[in-house]
Amino acid sequence: SKVKPIGYPEILSQNLDGDNFHCDLVFLHKPHFELSQYKDFEIPSPPDKDPVVESEKMIEDLRMQHADVLPYEEGDVVERGDSLTMDVKTEVDGSQLEGLTKQGMFYTLGQCTHPEFDNHLLGMKAGDEKSFEITFPDEENINPSLRGKRASFHIVVHMGTKKRPHPLDDELAKK
């Protein structure tokens, strides 16, 4: 057959009946192709990026990657990037949504695909309670039964943590 398989075949089925053996195998093989034009392509150059801005962003990303995580202190409020432990009760059309109702839920701001949800949490403190409503967007990534529906949320924030960027020092360079 002149087939040169790649690796071992995948056995789909095998049957031994007395002196008769039957099996179904799948072989992977290198496809045959002819190389067409491979010279004189016009390759667009990537958009110009300011190397200083890019390197500063990279350094800030590294500082946040190795940041210290600190629990909320007296007076700290929820800000973007914080992580919270909270109770969430969600209702749609007067019925509680089990998948979106949780006690002791761990949540990091920015994790939700609906930015309005995070906006309602901003400024809350540990121990605060808040109720608000949001309309689910009519998008593909939303459960079809929730698209365009109005949901009521009741949130109780228990505690939170903030990330303090790692100082720009030799220790960061070692990490």
Side-chain angles (χ1 to χ4, degrees):
S1 68
K2 298 183 183 180
V3 173
K4 295 181 181 177
I6 300 172
Y8 294 100
E10 178 184 353
I11 301 170
L12 297 178
S13 67
Q14 54 188 348
N15 184 14
L16 180 60
D17 184 21
D19 290 341
N20 296 322
F21 175 73
H22 175 80
C23 67
D24 292 312
L25 306 172
V26 174
F27 288 92
L28 297 177
H29 64 90
K30 191 188 303 187
H32 176 73
F33 69 94
E34 290 185 28
L35 189 60
S36 59
Q37 179 187 1
Y38 64 94
K39 293 183 178 180
D40 302 323
F41 281 108
E42 188 175 317
I43 301 173
S45 58
D48 291 336
K49 294 183 179 179
D50 184 356
V52 173
V53 171
E54 289 298 308
S55 60
E56 285 176 356
K57 182 184 177 325
M58 184 180 74
I59 290 170
E60 277 308 304
D61 289 347
L62 285 171
R63 290 182 69 201
M64 289 308 287
Q65 217 174 8
H66 297 285
D68 292 326
V69 178
L70 304 170
Y72 276 11
E73 294 179 358
E74 183 89 25
D76 278 342
V77 297
V78 176
E79 298 176 333
R80 299 204 187 280
D82 288 2
S83 295
L84 307 173
T85 303
M86 60 186 184
D87 294 341
V88 180
K89 181 180 176 186
T90 310
E91 292 183 352
V92 172
D93 296 332
S95 299
Q96 188 168 300
L97 280 179
E98 294 305 320
L100 295 176
T101 298
K102 297 180 182 173
Q103 290 188 340
M105 175 182 169
F106 185 74
Y107 178 76
T108 300
L109 267 73
Q111 172 182 333
C112 181
T113 57
H114 202 310
E116 191 179 343
F117 182 81
D118 285 355
N119 290 341
H120 283 285
L121 299 177
L122 294 174
M124 292 182 75
K125 297 179 187 174
D128 283 357
E129 291 188 43
K130 188 175 193 179
S131 295
F132 55 91
E133 292 186 349
I134 291 178
T135 302
F136 287 104
D138 193 12
E139 297 174 359
E140 267 186 46
N141 62 339
I142 301 294
N143 180 330
S145 66
L146 297 176
R147 291 180 189 162
K149 294 217 174 167
R150 192 120 182 106
S152 299
F153 292 88
H154 182 78
I155 306 288
V156 178
V157 175
H158 295 293
M159 64 166 290
T161 60
K162 294 186 174 297
K163 281 187 166 183
R164 183 178 66 203
H166 194 289
L168 193 55
D169 58 12
D170 289 343
E171 188 63 32
L172 178 63
K174 288 176 188 175
K175 287 183 178 183

